[in-house]
Amino acid sequence: AGFTAERRIGYEARAAQTLPDSLVRRLGEDPPALELVLFHSVRAAEVFLRLARASTPKLTAICISEAVATAARAAPWRRIIVAEKAREDALLTAAFSQRGAQA
């Protein structure tokens, strides 16, 4: 069609190989210093499960979509909540609503 295109990578996401020590400490506290984990993607849920599976029964997963929640369900959680829409504002609304309900 007469067009020339140039491909450029705007960003690259790489899966973490370990969790930061500060996060590991917070997850290991009893009760845990963290209550909620927000997931924006299936890949993020899968990576977190690989790195922190033993901590999930103490936490609530807040997922941006049902597809992300399906990935999260590979481990036991205290609770899994799916945002009403696959949008950042809906994810945060779900998280803040859950946080207020636990207070």
Side-chain angles (χ1 to χ4, degrees), residues 6-11:
E6 183 177 325
R7 181 176 182 233
R8 294 189 180 217
I9 297 173
Y11 74 95

Side-chain angles (χ1 to χ4, degrees), residues 21-93:
D21 291 339
S22 60
L23 178 57
V24 171
R25 278 192 305 276
R26 295 183 86 180
L27 290 171
E29 293 176 8
D30 191 22
L34 302 174
E35 298 173 7
L36 309 173
V37 180
L38 279 64
F39 292 117
H40 292 81
S41 71
V42 168
R43 184 174 180 217
E46 292 170 346
V47 170
F48 185 84
L49 293 181
R50 180 173 50 82
L51 300 176
R53 181 177 285 274
S55 302
T56 61
K58 305 174 196 172
L59 303 170
T60 296
I62 311 291
C63 302
I64 200 163
S65 69
E66 186 57 45
V68 175
T70 297
R73 287 186 185 104
W77 294 86
R78 182 174 51 166
R79 187 169 180 205
I80 295 177
I81 297 171
V82 180
E84 289 186 20
K85 295 179 182 178
R87 296 173 30 150
E88 181 73 15
D89 59 336
L91 181 73
L92 293 174
T93 296

